[in-house]
Amino acid sequence: MSDFCPNCRSKLAANTVRLAWCVEHHPVRDWMCWNSVMRLLLPVLAATLVLVILLEAILGGAEGITALLGGGLIVSLAGILGMILAVMLLVFILQGDDLLDCVIDGRGIHVQQYLPRPTALKLLLRGKSLRLLEDSEDMLLVSSREIAWKDIQRVQLWPEKNMLLFYAPRWWMRVSLPCTPFTWEEAIEFIRDKIGKKKAVILPEECRQTAPVKAKAAKPARSHQLTFEEVAAEFGGQPDEPALPENLPPEVTQELEGDFTSLADVLEEIKNDP
């Protein structure tokens, strides 16, 4: 989390920048865990229903299908679904809580699941081998999911849960990334920098990078040189000629008048001076 390597103190490259955080995970309260179960359970039950109806149509025709649907097939499948969900609820409770280590870097999205204080029951309910207990670690890595930037086809936001969903292909969710309120904006900014310009990826507006609007260069204002007449008109006309003081001796007055040059002559001389 710095610009330099803590070991060799060399400057880190741009592709080493990453965003990492850890969140507590409760399987029984996680909709994505239930979603994983339903994505497998519902297609199996639907395929079973369609297969039974087709077999009954072949063997008994329309009357057989009517008798089958009226005989409680739908109720039976609903009961099976309810029992399976009840079993999964018990499984999720006994699995216990875990920790999710989430990382976004130059390669893609990475989510690692750690199980604190692992037991044999918790590992069996998660479908893991008991050989993992031989390491006798207090924090055990039980699963890892990742997706590269080039494989992402669609990104969906779930702000109510602070969740980011990544799809590859567009109809199949590959990785769900839980965020915290403190990392939500940073994660979106990271996604915007990496794939915000790709038109082939379906992105929400928050993750799409818009082209900066180029400001038009202002044309320089034309300079205008004021003339003496314009300056004089701005200040109320030509200035009055200064008058000589009164009560002066005649010889002094003649000397001053000889040295005096009118203001109009001075302005004309300045105007004609190259």
Side-chain angles (χ1 to χ4, degrees), residues 15 17 33 37 44 51 60 63 68 78 116 167 176 183 185 191 195 218 228 236 240 246 268:
N15 56 1
V17 178
C33 292
V37 174
V44 170
L51 181 60
E63 296 179 359
L68 181 64
Y167 293 78
S176 60
T183 59
E185 294 295 337
I191 296 171
I195 57 176
F228 289 102
D240 298 333
E246 298 180 354
E268 186 66 24

Side-chain angles (χ1 to χ4, degrees), residues 51-72:
L51 181 60
V52 172
I53 292 176
L54 288 177
L55 291 176
E56 190 64 32
I58 295 174
L59 299 177
E63 296 179 359
I65 295 176
T66 303
L68 181 64
L69 296 179

Side-chain angles (χ1 to χ4, degrees), residues 82-128:
M83 287 189 295
I84 295 176
L85 293 179
V87 172
M88 292 306 305
L89 175 62
L90 180 61
V91 169
F92 288 151
I93 293 175
L94 295 178
Q95 280 183 354
D97 300 337
D98 49 61
L99 298 174
L100 296 180
D101 189 14
C102 307
V103 177
I104 304 179
D105 57 17
R107 295 179 300 169
I109 311 296
H110 315 272
V111 179
Q112 292 181 326
Q113 189 176 20
Y114 290 90
L115 181 62
R117 299 176 299 277
T119 62
L121 178 60
K122 291 181 180 180
L123 290 179
L124 289 175
L125 293 177
R126 294 174 183 270
K128 302 300 178 181

Side-chain angles (χ1 to χ4, degrees), residues 4-271:
F4 297 91
C5 175
N7 298 321
C8 64
R9 304 304 300 171
S10 62
K11 186 174 178 57
L12 297 177
N15 56 1
T16 60
V17 178
R18 69 172 188 169
L19 177 65
W21 67 94
C22 185
V23 295
E24 294 183 355
H25 179 236
H26 312 281
V28 70
R29 292 185 292 174
D30 185 8
W31 163 248
M32 304 314 300
C33 292
W34 291 101
N35 183 50
S36 301
V37 174
M38 300 302 289
R39 283 194 297 176
L40 297 177
L41 184 58
L42 291 181
V44 170
L45 293 178
T48 302
L49 177 61
V50 171
L51 181 60
V52 172
I53 292 176
L54 288 177
L55 291 176
E56 190 64 32
I58 295 174
L59 299 177
E63 296 179 359
I65 295 176
T66 303
L68 181 64
L69 296 179
L73 176 62
I74 303 298
V75 177
S76 300
L77 292 178
I80 294 174
L81 176 62
M83 287 189 295
I84 295 176
L85 293 179
V87 172
M88 292 306 305
L89 175 62
L90 180 61
V91 169
F92 288 151
I93 293 175
L94 295 178
Q95 280 183 354
D97 300 337
D98 49 61
L99 298 174
L100 296 180
D101 189 14
C102 307
V103 177
I104 304 179
D105 57 17
R107 295 179 300 169
I109 311 296
H110 315 272
V111 179
Q112 292 181 326
Q113 189 176 20
Y114 290 90
L115 181 62
R117 299 176 299 277
T119 62
L121 178 60
K122 291 181 180 180
L123 290 179
L124 289 175
L125 293 177
R126 294 174 183 270
K128 302 300 178 181
S129 174
L130 295 180
R131 294 180 180 178
L132 296 176
L133 289 176
E134 298 176 358
D135 298 334
S136 65
E137 296 181 0
D138 294 335
M139 191 71 65
L140 188 63
L141 176 63
V142 293
S143 68
S144 179
R145 295 169 294 160
E146 61 182 3
I147 184 172
W149 294 113
K150 61 181 181 62
D151 297 331
I152 297 176
Q153 299 293 319
R154 179 162 68 100
V155 178
Q156 185 177 353
L157 303 183
W158 195 355
E160 293 81 9
K161 298 291 185 179
N162 288 327
M163 186 82 68
L164 296 171
L165 307 178
F166 300 90
Y167 293 78
R170 297 180 179 181
W171 50 270
W172 185 259
M173 190 192 67
R174 284 272 300 275
V175 175
S176 60
L177 181 67
C179 298
T180 66
F182 305 100
T183 59
W184 175 261
E185 294 295 337
E186 292 179 318
I188 292 180
E189 183 68 23
F190 214 115
I191 296 171
R192 187 184 297 116
D193 293 339
K194 290 297 180 181
I195 57 176
K197 295 181 179 180
K198 294 184 177 181
K199 297 181 180 180
V201 182
I202 301 177
L203 294 173
E205 292 298 329
E206 292 85 347
C207 297
R208 186 165 297 280
Q209 191 177 55
T210 57
V213 180
K214 295 182 179 180
K216 295 183 178 179
K219 295 182 179 180
R222 295 182 178 179
S223 58
H224 175 67
Q225 186 175 3
L226 296 176
T227 62
F228 289 102
E229 290 78 6
E230 292 175 345
V231 174
E234 182 69 21
F235 289 94
Q238 293 286 347
D240 298 333
E241 296 288 344
L244 294 176
E246 298 180 354
N247 302 323
L248 291 178
E251 59 275 8
V252 175
T253 301
Q254 293 179 358
E255 182 178 357
L256 291 176
E257 288 180 350
D259 296 336
F260 176 76
T261 304
S262 65
L263 181 60
D265 295 339
V266 174
L267 294 178
E268 186 66 24
E269 183 179 354
I270 294 174
K271 185 189 302 184

